[in-house]
């Protein structure tokens, strides 16, 4: 790949989350990324990985699905689109679903893209503006006059052209598998299929070769699958020939003379099972939501009862005896509520006794004023707040229940349609086979003849599929040869880049070597001290993770247009896998990548690790920005009790950055609830 064919990768310049209710204390987040490192530092369980996923979702409309196997670039994009809906469900409150959005600003070559995407609108954009970078006031494209779908399509067209890839699916692949190391912990070195596509994009003569290789690889796999299917069907037919009685019962499973029946049946059953799993999951979610709604409703009844009791106590203790219901009624009706005596004199006598200093019933001295009024008022306020919070949660669950019921109803409908299609396919197949048996007057001989014909046909089909598979393999092999030649030319630049970065981390002699085998295709073999490490278990976890990050960095360096601004690498830092000897070295590796003109958007835990300290001391405040997120959401009891440790670690990093924390200008955001919890946790 010469300089003219290299890519203008996007550089993230801003990300803003709106109505992002996962962050309960900071639902509106707006962060800028300058040149260098933007580090989102927080505690366990606060949503650091979600923040990174939201950035990738804004850029591509896709959230990577952890368990999805990569088959092809196009299929990965198409089949991953729906996962974002499930990913953000549960992270976003029901009342925020329609308004929740993520905005990003990206520098790509000569332009700056500003786009806003709803969290449940994968193929739409709420806003799209493209500006010239030399003159920020020059608007290249304004999407305000078109709808969300058209904005998304225009964004796909423009950013694909500006980056220099063949398709938006190709860019999504690069963004998720090369530019991002996230909580999936996906490793390029040990996934040959993904690595081969990355290598074609990095070292191929042009990106169309990568597209063709990707298509050939998938077509070859499909043809090979058809070879196995026809072989299986032929074997089944041979087995059924051994038992003619079983033939009549089992023929229906082989399908008619069109092999597509078998494929249709398999596809329909897979879809039916998938919808069934989805409906079971929705039923579980609905059951949980309904149970939670019932619990909240019961809690609300209890809170209202407590409120009435406390209000009644305050009213009775903070008022005169004349306000007592029996006395008030007796005076108003001029009739004693105890003995029934009537008349104006009765009312006057009751009034006189009530206004006396002693209780008219027991003779006890009455209090001079209201008792515990302030305390009871505080109790009423707390109960009122609890009732309001309960009401909000109850409404959220009601919205969730309504959405789940609608979704479940749709899923039930899909399942019914699929099951109907399966029954009809089985019925048509059985009818055809019964007709064959009825027409054949020769009985067993005719059935055997039908089997022989079926097997001959399957064998012909298998040969055709083998021919197709081998043709795809030959064409793919030719492309792989071109890739090997291109890599040989690029090796002098790429391998030293990788060695420099990976060596900064591991401190050992490393090398990579391209190999091409029938089983794995074109791949890179990692060598440590001259010894190949083909299996993951041949390296420690931390070595695997950070060497694979080094591979991504080297690929991005090599693929990036030297005339452009570099790229942004997204890293959900796996610092928990590091031992103390490698913490600083990992930070040094990241710093070296940034010093070569690239950016890093990373997440990390606030701890005593040397990784962030090394990064901070190398890059300083002008090239590293630390964003603390411990005030964004509710901390656990343990975290609240030890929050001073976060402060200490955070201040150490600030010191390494070369600046002092200004407590007046950057006040610590602490909710009243957290303050109360902290006092409770620290109480003896």
């Amino acid at each position: 790949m010469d300089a003219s064919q290299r890519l203008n990768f996007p550089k993230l310049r801003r990300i803003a989350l709106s109505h992002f209710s996962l962050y309960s204390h900071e639902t509106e987040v707006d962060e800028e990324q300058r040149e260098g490192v933007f580090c989102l530092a927080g505690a366990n369980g606060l949503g650091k990985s979600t923040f990174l996923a939201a950035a990738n979702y804004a850029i591509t409309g896709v959230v990577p699905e952890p368990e999805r196997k990569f088959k092809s670039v196009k299929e990965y994009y198409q089949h991953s689109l729906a996962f974002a809906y499930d990913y953000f469900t549960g992270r976003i409150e029901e009342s925020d679903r329609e308004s929740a959005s993520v905005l990003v600003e990206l520098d790509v070559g000569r332009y700056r893209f500003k786009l806003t995407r709803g969290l449940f609108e994968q193929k739409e954009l709420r806003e799209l503006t493209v500006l010239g970078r030399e003159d920020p006031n020059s608007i290249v494209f304004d999407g305000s006059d078109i709808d969300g779908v058209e904005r998304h399509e225009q964004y796909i067209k423009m950013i694909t052209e500006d980056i220099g890839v063949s398709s938006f699916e190709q860019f999504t692949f690069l963004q998720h598998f090369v530019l991002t190391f996230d909580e999936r912990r996906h490793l390029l070195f040990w996934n040959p299929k993904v690595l081969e596509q990355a290598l074609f994009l990095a070292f191929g003569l042009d990106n169309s070769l990568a597209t063709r290789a990707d298509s050939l690889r998938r077509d070859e796999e499909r043809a090979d699958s058809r070879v196995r299917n026809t072989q299986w069907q032929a074997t089944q037919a041979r087995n059924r020939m051994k038992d003619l009685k079983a033939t009549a019962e089992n023929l229906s499973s082989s399908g008619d003379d069109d092999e597509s029946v078998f494929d249709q049946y398999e596809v329909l059953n897979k879809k039916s099972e998938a919808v069934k799993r989805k409906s079971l999951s929705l039923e579980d979610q609905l059951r949980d939501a309904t149970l939670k709604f019932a619990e909240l409703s019961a809690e609300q009844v209890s809170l209202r009862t407590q409120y009435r009791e406390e209000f009644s106590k305050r009213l009775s203790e903070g008022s005169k005896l004349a306000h007592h219901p029996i006395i008030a009624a007796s005076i108003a009706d001029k009739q004693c509520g105890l003995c029934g005596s009537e008349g104006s004199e009765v009312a006057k006598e009751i009034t006189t006794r009530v206004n006396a200093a002693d209780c008219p019933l027991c003779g006890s001295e009455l209090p001079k004023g209201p008792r515990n009024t302030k305390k009871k008022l505080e109790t009423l306020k707390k109960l009122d707040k609890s009732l309001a919070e309960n009401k909000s949660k109850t409404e959220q669950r009601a919205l969730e229940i309504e959405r789940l019921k609608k979704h479940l109803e749709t899923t039930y409908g899909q399942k019914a349609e699929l099951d109907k299609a399966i029954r009809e396919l089985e019925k048509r197949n059985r009818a055809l086979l019964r007709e064959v048996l009825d027409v054949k007057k020769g009985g067993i001989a005719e059935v055997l003849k039908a089997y022989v014909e079926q097997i001959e046909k399957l064998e012909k089909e298998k040969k055709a599929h083998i021919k197709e598979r081998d043709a795809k393999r030959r064409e793919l092999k030719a492309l792989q040869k071109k890739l090997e030649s291109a890599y040989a030319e690029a090796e002098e630049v790429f391998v030293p880049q990788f060695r420099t970065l990976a060596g900064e981390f591991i401190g050992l002699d490393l090398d990579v070597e391209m190999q091409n085998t029938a089983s794995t295709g074109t791949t890179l073999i990692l060598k440590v001290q001259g010894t190949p490490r083909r299996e993951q278990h041949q390296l420690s976890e931390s070595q695997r993770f950070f060497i694979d990050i080094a591979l991504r960095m080297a690929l991005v360096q090599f693929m990036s247009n030297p005339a452009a601004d570099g790229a942004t690498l997204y890293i959900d830092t796996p610092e928990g896998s590091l031992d103390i000897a490698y913490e600083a070295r990992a930070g040094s590796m990241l710093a070296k990548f940034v010093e070569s003109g690239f950016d890093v958007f990373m997440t990390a835990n606030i701890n005593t690790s040397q990784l962030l300290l090394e990064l901070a001391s190398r890059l300083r405040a002008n090239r590293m920005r630390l964003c603390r997120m411990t005030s964004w959401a509710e901390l656990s009891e343990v975290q609240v009790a030890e929050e001073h440790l976060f402060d200490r670690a955070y201040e150490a990093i600030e010191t390494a950055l070369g600046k002092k924390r200004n407590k007046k200008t950057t006040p610590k955001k602490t909710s009243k609830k957290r303050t109360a919890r902290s006092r409770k946790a620290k109480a003896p």
Side-chain angles (χ1 to χ4, degrees):
M1 178 185 286
D2 59 39
S4 64
Q5 295 169 327
R6 293 186 182 179
L7 306 178
N8 299 313
F9 283 119
K11 270 202 167 188
L12 182 67
R13 286 292 166 254
R14 179 186 170 203
I15 177 169
L17 303 177
S18 180
H19 292 83
F20 207 81
S21 38
L22 174 67
Y23 306 136
S24 54
H25 298 320
E26 200 76 32
T27 58
E28 305 293 321
V29 176
D30 195 338
E31 301 291 347
E32 292 185 5
Q33 174 160 344
R34 302 188 297 269
E35 295 289 337
V37 170
F38 174 87
C39 179
L40 186 67
N44 289 334
L46 293 188
K48 299 187 300 299
S49 299
T50 302
F51 194 89
L52 190 147
N56 264 333
Y57 169 73
I59 296 168
T60 65
V62 174
V63 174
E65 189 173 356
E67 302 304 320
R68 178 166 296 282
K69 291 184 178 180
F70 178 82
K71 294 183 178 179
S72 71
V73 167
K74 186 175 182 179
E75 286 177 284
Y76 172 78
Y77 177 78
Q78 292 177 340
H79 295 164
S80 298
L81 277 170
F83 179 65
Y85 183 93
D86 293 332
Y87 182 83
F88 290 115
T89 296
R91 288 173 166 84
I92 303 300
E93 290 285 1
E94 294 293 321
S95 57
D96 286 330
R97 287 177 71 89
E98 292 186 5
S99 51
S101 65
V102 54
L103 173 151
V104 291
E105 292 185 16
L106 307 167
D107 284 348
V108 185
R110 297 171 297 164
Y111 305 115
R112 172 165 291 192
F113 288 76
K114 180 180 179 181
L115 58 135
T116 303
R117 192 186 299 275
L119 291 186
F120 300 94
E121 301 162 11
Q122 298 92 321
K123 293 186 176 181
E124 299 179 35
L125 290 179
R126 295 183 181 180
E127 176 190 7
L128 175 62
T129 307
V130 183
L131 305 171
R133 291 179 59 194
E134 292 184 2
D135 180 6
N137 295 319
S138 64
I139 299 178
V140 178
F141 178 81
D142 182 1
S144 58
D145 294 332
I146 57 179
D147 65 30
V149 174
E150 290 176 308
R151 288 188 204 106
H152 179 68
E153 291 173 350
Q154 184 66 28
Y155 166 68
I156 285 176
K157 179 176 180 293
M158 293 185 69
I159 201 166
T160 299
E161 292 175 354
D162 291 343
I163 292 171
V165 288
S166 298
S167 66
F168 189 72
E169 292 91 339
Q170 206 171 68
F171 165 56
T172 300
F173 168 83
L174 288 169
Q175 182 70 26
H176 287 191
F177 288 97
V178 178
L179 290 164
T180 299
F181 184 87
D182 57 20
E183 61 182 341
R184 294 175 297 167
R185 303 296 184 249
H186 175 269
L187 301 174
L188 279 177
F189 262 124
W190 294 279
N191 190 326
K193 191 178 294 185
V194 175
L195 181 56
E196 182 180 62
Q197 181 61 198
L199 294 175
F200 267 109
L201 287 167
F203 305 108
L205 299 177
D206 60 64
N207 290 326
S208 63
L209 284 184
T211 303
R212 182 57 182 159
D214 186 53
S215 176
L216 285 170
R217 171 68 68 187
R218 192 69 182 110
D219 290 345
E220 181 266 334
E221 288 175 347
R222 290 193 179 102
D224 193 49
S225 176
R226 286 192 286 268
V227 170
R228 294 194 301 272
N229 285 341
T230 50
Q231 179 61 54
W232 179 84
Q233 291 178 70
T235 301
Q236 290 294 99
R238 290 188 183 95
N239 291 337
R240 285 195 292 271
M241 288 176 66
K242 298 176 183 178
D243 190 345
L244 292 180
K245 291 183 179 179
T247 298
E249 299 174 0
N250 298 330
L251 262 174
S252 61
S253 66
S254 69
D256 58 24
D257 60 348
D258 184 359
E259 65 95 26
S260 66
V261 171
F262 177 83
D263 291 337
Q264 291 174 37
Y265 190 78
E266 187 176 36
V267 168
L268 286 172
N269 273 289
K270 285 182 178 179
K271 286 183 177 180
S272 179
E273 284 299 315
V275 172
K276 181 181 178 181
R277 288 194 299 271
K278 183 68 174 177
S279 65
L280 291 174
S281 174
L282 288 169
E283 286 171 358
D284 289 338
Q285 293 178 47
L286 180 59
R287 191 179 301 109
D288 292 341
T290 304
L291 179 60
K292 186 62 178 177
F293 182 86
E295 291 173 353
L296 288 168
S297 299
E299 181 184 350
Q300 189 176 78
V301 171
S302 175
L303 287 169
R304 289 189 180 281
T305 300
Q306 292 179 54
Y307 189 94
R308 284 196 296 269
E309 290 175 355
E310 289 296 326
F311 187 86
S312 177
K313 288 179 183 179
R314 181 173 182 271
L315 184 64
S316 62
E317 293 182 5
S319 306
K320 294 181 179 180
L321 284 176
H323 294 160
H324 193 281
I326 294 177
I327 294 174
S330 297
I331 294 172
D333 298 336
K334 298 179 181 181
Q335 181 180 15
C336 179
L338 295 178
C339 68
S341 299
E342 299 179 354
S344 300
E345 293 300 319
V346 171
K348 289 179 181 180
E349 182 62 20
I350 293 173
T351 301
T352 300
R353 291 176 180 269
V354 165
N355 290 332
D358 300 328
C359 175
L361 286 180
C362 67
S364 300
E365 184 179 354
L366 294 173
K368 302 300 182 183
R371 295 174 291 179
N372 300 323
T373 301
K374 185 176 181 180
K375 182 178 179 181
K376 292 186 179 296
L377 184 60
E378 288 298 318
T379 301
L380 286 172
K381 286 182 179 179
K382 289 180 181 179
L383 287 170
D384 188 65
K385 182 180 178 182
S386 297
L387 278 167
E389 291 175 350
N390 176 279
K391 181 182 178 183
S392 175
K393 291 178 181 178
T394 304
E395 289 172 350
Q396 294 291 335
R397 295 292 78 76
L399 290 171
E400 183 181 9
I401 289 170
E402 182 180 357
R403 174 179 60 81
L404 288 170
K405 284 182 177 178
K406 289 180 180 178
H407 199 170
L408 195 56
E409 183 178 352
T410 301
T411 307
Y412 285 152
Q414 293 172 345
K415 181 70 165 60
E417 290 178 4
L418 287 167
D419 289 347
K420 181 180 178 182
I422 290 171
R423 289 194 299 271
E424 289 176 352
L425 186 63
E426 290 174 338
K427 183 178 179 180
R428 288 197 304 272
N429 200 28
R430 284 196 300 268
L432 177 62
L433 292 172
R434 281 197 300 270
E435 182 180 352
V436 170
L437 289 174
D438 291 338
V439 170
K440 306 300 180 183
K441 301 297 183 181
I444 293 175
E446 291 297 328
V447 173
L448 288 172
K449 180 182 176 182
Y451 275 133
V452 170
E453 291 174 352
Q454 181 188 11
I455 292 168
E456 289 176 350
K457 181 181 179 181
L458 288 170
E459 288 295 334
K460 288 180 181 179
E461 289 176 356
K462 187 178 78 170
K463 289 179 181 179
H465 296 322
I466 290 173
K467 184 178 180 181
E468 179 188 4
R469 180 197 65 190
D470 291 347
K472 300 294 182 184
R473 284 180 177 175
R474 284 192 297 272
E475 187 178 351
L476 178 60
K477 191 171 183 179
L479 292 183
Q480 289 169 337
K481 288 291 184 184
K482 290 183 179 181
L483 175 60
E484 288 183 72
S485 298
Y487 178 80
E489 294 180 9
E491 197 171 13
E492 292 183 3
V493 176
F494 168 72
V495 174
Q497 288 175 328
F498 170 73
R499 282 177 179 162
T500 299
L501 291 165
E504 189 79 15
F505 167 68
I506 200 169
L508 298 173
D509 180 33
L510 296 178
D511 198 3
V512 284
E513 179 181 288
M514 180 173 280
Q515 288 190 5
N516 191 358
T517 65
S519 59
T520 61
T522 305
T523 189
L524 293 178
I525 303 300
L526 174 69
K527 290 185 176 182
V528 181
Q529 303 284 65
T531 303
R533 303 295 173 94
R534 298 176 184 274
E535 304 297 332
Q536 293 190 38
H537 63 78
Q538 293 177 315
L539 292 170
S540 70
E541 184 180 61
S542 62
Q543 289 174 335
R544 292 198 302 269
F545 288 165
F546 282 91
I547 288 175
D548 214 70
I549 290 172
L551 174 62
R552 285 169 165 80
M553 290 177 173
L555 287 171
V556 170
Q557 284 179 332
F558 184 83
M559 296 170 72
S560 295
N561 184 350
D565 295 333
T568 298
L569 199 67
Y570 301 77
I571 301 176
D572 191 2
T573 310
E575 75 269 37
S577 67
L578 292 168
D579 60 44
I580 193 169
Y582 285 104
E583 288 176 352
R585 300 194 72 109
S588 179
M589 180 183 79
L590 294 173
K592 186 170 283 291
F593 177 70
V594 171
E595 288 165 351
S596 67
F598 294 82
D599 293 346
V600 173
F601 180 93
M602 63 184 290
T603 67
N605 280 328
I606 291 187
N607 52 33
T608 57
S609 166
Q610 293 295 310
L611 191 155
L612 294 183
L613 289 173
E614 177 67 18
L615 258 180
S617 63
R618 282 276 293 268
L619 300 177
R620 311 294 280 179
N622 64 324
R623 282 196 293 179
M624 179 173 177
R625 179 167 170 247
L626 193 68
C627 176
R628 179 177 180 176
M629 67 175 298
T630 50
S631 62
W632 289 12
E634 199 70 33
L635 296 177
S636 69
E637 294 285 356
V638 173
Q639 291 166 334
V640 169
E642 305 299 334
E643 199 166 2
H644 63 285
L645 297 177
F646 294 133
D647 292 333
R648 190 182 306 163
Y650 183 71
E651 289 167 5
I653 299 168
E654 289 280 16
T655 300
L657 285 169
K659 62 179 183 178
K660 294 182 179 179
R661 189 178 177 197
N662 189 331
K663 294 184 178 179
K664 291 183 178 180
T665 58
T666 56
K668 178 180 168 185
K669 299 176 182 177
T670 305
S671 67
K672 294 180 181 179
K673 184 183 292 185
R674 183 177 300 169
T675 303
R677 288 179 122 184
S678 181
R679 286 197 298 267
K680 180 180 177 182
K682 294 179 181 179

